[in-house]
Amino acid sequence: MAAAAGVTGRAGAGRAVATVAAGADFPQPAVLGAEAVLDVRFADVAVPGYGTVTTRTYNAGIPGPTLRVRGGDVLRLTQVNGLPPNPPHDGGHNRPHDANSFNLHTHGMHVPPSGDADNVQRVFVPRTAEEADEGAPEPQYLTTVEIPAGHPAGTYWYHPHLHGATATQLVGGMAGVLVVEGDVDEVPEIRAAADLVVCVNELRLKDGTVPDFTTGGSLAAVPAVLTVNGALNPVLALRPGEVQRWRLVAATAFTALSLQVHGEPGPLELYQIAQDGVTFAAPVARDTLGLAMGNRADVLVRGGEPGTYELRADGVDGPLMTVEVAGDPVDPPMDLPAALPQGKPYLDENDLTDPGADREVVFHVDPGVFGQPFPNAYRMLGSHPTPAADPGGDLTRDPAYGLFDPDHVNHTLALGTVERWTVRTDEDRPEFNHPFHLHTNHVLVTHRNGVRLDPPVWQDTIGLAGGSPGDSVTFLVKYEDFTGRTVAHCHQLQHEDLGMMQLVEYVETGAGQSSSMVKSQTVTGLPSWRQVSWAAPAW
């Protein structure tokens, strides 16, 4: 496989020039270990099939380097901010701002959310204009993440998460894959398969650059350029009977992906073995694989009849990548595993700390609240909304109700407790999607649109499409190991930057919980999750 996304030279102060390998050798991001430098600056990146892109990058590549670690490692990332100074901003915290500052989120990882770990409240600022003129060094920021020894092995990713700048930075390509190696990698059939990162970046480009996020539609209106490992429609070689492991990553800010692999001979065999970094109990055959923004899926793919196949996403023009099945067949065909080391044990309603106390989140948009250039109010309502500025007034016009407030804790979550949440969207248009993402702890989705999943599925990001009615999910979650403040939010990142986010605080047991829980009907009929084999979830 071709190594790629490396710095090949310098072109003036503060600017790097990078190239990305493509063609018959399927491109793979550069691979770094637990101690690495992430250099963030504007770079001119050659994107095969598109041209040169000038954008903010990690180490002058799209995507950034893949970080490979194991449970028990300490991830030490030195991040250099080589970006120019931020322009002044006086538009409030729920407006785009400070696109040249950033921080780091290790998306899906069960690691500390505070200190210098997975702390999205940190701010990595660039040099001021005066400091640059005086020749001061570019600032460096250290992220230190202690990965628990028993952390689930699987596919995660990293990206900046500074409120007000996240969407702009992600649609410029600031994202990379984070792999935790472990027990599933030692399964003989998986160890024999080629291990390939398939990172889908969604770039929003106008004349080769990311436009400024100056109006509510300025980013969304720009056509998406979807790359795989930094190239348009790269070619992957697969022999008949060969099994490969694809680590699919939806590093997208606006676009959900409904994926299929088809060719003239028919579909390729896809077997999902993990969702959002958590390994299934056994492979699951898939015709279609749905990934909301931020989701990951590990799949085993076996070459069938020789021919040309394409990985396509519904609603996206052109293939994401092409698969050429050719060459000498693998005879006998490579085997698939019958069973896998399940990544996390299930919860069920018997585990609930308080079976009558549920949390509810409703994604809701009120149009035309603020006037141009950002007229819409992107709210998270339900049982714990941010209080209104005028509780007795028209809440649909309120400037604070349900919008992110960095000083208001929406959810106080006690370690060791198990709770049930219901999350839904009241959007009436199916194309609108509000993926729900809770930091630090995976959630176990037990119901989708009122239908029980048997067995359930662990996720860290859950797609919620609009409709009549819009999607809803119910999940169980256990708050484990780590205290500190972090967030839950919509992972359509433009919405997050505009206020569709809530502050959560993990506290020691007995330190107090919010009293504003709502009572809801207890779901009856406990499942036999611990006794069944994995079946495809019904969505």
Side-chain angles (χ1 to χ4, degrees):
M1 294 297 112
V7 177
T8 58
R10 294 281 177 184
R15 182 175 295 274
V17 178
T19 58
V20 180
D25 290 331
F26 186 63
Q28 288 288 276
V31 178
L32 302 176
E35 296 197 21
V37 174
L38 296 179
D39 185 88
V40 177
R41 66 187 65 246
F42 279 98
D44 298 330
V45 183
V47 177
Y50 179 86
T52 298
V53 172
T54 302
T55 184
R56 301 171 184 86
T57 63
Y58 290 116
N59 293 15
I62 301 174
T66 297
L67 305 176
R68 281 188 169 264
V69 298
R70 300 185 69 87
D73 284 350
V74 177
L75 182 63
R76 292 187 177 89
L77 299 175
T78 299
Q79 292 149 94
V80 181
N81 191 337
L83 296 169
N86 287 303
H89 170 72
D90 59 3
H93 63 270
N94 286 326
R95 292 292 177 265
H97 62 281
D98 291 351
N100 293 326
S101 298
F102 57 94
N103 54 29
L104 187 78
H105 175 41
T106 54
H107 186 122
M109 296 284 285
H110 180 59
V111 294
S114 55
D116 62 358
D118 184 32
N119 185 347
V120 298
Q121 298 182 93
R122 300 177 76 193
V123 183
F124 302 165
V125 298
R127 290 182 298 185
T128 64
E130 293 76 14
E131 289 170 336
D133 290 342
E134 294 169 0
E138 294 170 339
Q140 298 185 12
Y141 301 89
L142 180 65
T143 294
T144 304
V145 180
E146 296 184 4
I147 303 170
H151 195 288
T155 304
Y156 304 87
W157 65 302
Y158 64 91
H159 61 85
H161 206 295
L162 182 65
H163 184 56
T166 309
T168 295
Q169 292 168 352
L170 200 68
V171 299
M174 278 187 72
V177 179
L178 202 168
V179 174
V180 179
E181 299 174 340
D183 52 4
V184 65
D185 306 299
E186 300 306 316
V187 174
E189 296 87 352
I190 293 177
R191 190 171 63 241
D195 187 339
L196 301 174
V197 165
V198 181
C199 183
V200 181
N201 287 89
E202 176 182 17
L203 309 179
R204 298 278 173 159
L205 303 170
K206 186 175 182 180
D207 300 325
T209 63
V210 178
D212 292 335
F213 191 2
T214 54
T215 69
S218 57
L219 288 180
V222 177
V225 177
L226 294 176
T227 63
V228 169
N229 297 342
L232 259 64
N233 190 21
V235 177
L236 183 149
L238 178 67
R239 294 167 60 193
E242 178 191 3
V243 173
Q244 296 178 348
R245 178 190 191 173
W246 296 355
R247 298 180 183 267
L248 293 162
V249 179
T252 59
F254 293 81
T255 302
L257 304 173
S258 179
L259 301 174
Q260 294 183 323
V261 184
H262 279 283
E264 288 186 4
L268 280 182
E269 297 179 51
L270 299 179
Y271 298 90
Q272 188 176 1
I273 61 171
Q275 174 72 37
D276 288 355
V278 179
T279 305
F280 292 173
V284 179
R286 298 285 195 214
D287 296 321
T288 301
L289 191 66
L291 299 180
M293 300 80 96
N295 280 148
R296 290 89 57 219
D298 286 35
V299 297
L300 299 177
V301 184
R302 183 155 55 190
E305 292 296 321
T308 299
Y309 300 77
E310 293 177 339
L311 175 66
R312 285 184 170 266
D314 287 351
V316 175
D317 293 335
L320 297 178
M321 72 181 193
T322 296
V323 181
E324 294 286 356
V325 178
D328 295 333
V330 177
D331 189 20
M334 293 173 65
D335 291 329
L336 299 171
L340 298 166
Q342 188 169 333
K344 283 178 69 68
Y346 293 131
L347 304 168
D348 64 35
E349 281 88 346
N350 285 325
D351 298 313
L352 287 169
T353 304
D354 184 350
D358 286 9
R359 296 178 187 267
E360 182 186 35
V361 170
V362 180
F363 289 113
H364 174 81
V365 181
D366 284 321
V369 174
F370 302 114
Q372 297 297 338
F374 298 98
N376 299 336
Y378 292 92
R379 307 188 194 274
M380 289 179 70
L381 305 179
S383 58
H384 296 71
T386 301
D390 180 10
D394 182 357
L395 295 182
T396 67
R397 303 292 114 187
D398 194 273
Y401 179 55
L403 299 174
F404 178 63
D405 180 346
D407 297 318
H408 175 78
V409 176
N410 298 85
H411 302 275
T412 301
L413 310 175
L415 294 191
T417 61
V418 176
E419 294 187 336
R420 179 170 50 212
W421 295 46
T422 296
V423 182
R424 62 183 176 88
T425 174
D426 62 10
E427 298 277 11
D428 58 8
R429 297 173 61 180
E431 63 269 26
F432 287 109
N433 198 310
H434 294 297
F436 174 86
H437 176 45
L438 174 66
H439 288 210
T440 309
N441 290 283
H442 272 74
V443 305
L444 185 70
V445 180
T446 62
H447 294 74
R448 177 168 281 269
N449 298 327
V451 177
R452 181 181 287 280
L453 306 183
D454 192 2
V457 58
W458 287 105
Q459 296 187 241
D460 58 53
T461 308
I462 309 165
L464 296 165
S468 299
D471 280 346
S472 68
V473 295
T474 299
F475 61 75
L476 305 176
V477 55
K478 184 175 183 180
Y479 315 122
E480 298 184 281
D481 300 321
F482 306 115
T483 60
R485 289 188 175 184
T486 187
V487 292
H489 62 95
C490 174
H491 218 277
Q492 207 277 32
L493 293 176
Q494 173 178 273
H495 300 166
E496 182 267 303
D497 280 337
L498 297 177
M500 202 170 250
M501 184 160 70
Q502 294 182 328
L503 193 64
V504 304
E505 183 170 16
Y506 297 107
V507 299
E508 294 288 351
T509 304
Q513 298 186 63
S514 171
S515 62
S516 57
M517 291 184 182
V518 296
K519 298 291 183 178
S520 69
Q521 182 178 359
T522 301
V523 179
T524 60
L526 294 178
S528 56
W529 292 334
R530 292 183 175 91
Q531 287 79 43
V532 298
S533 60
W534 188 270
W539 67 75

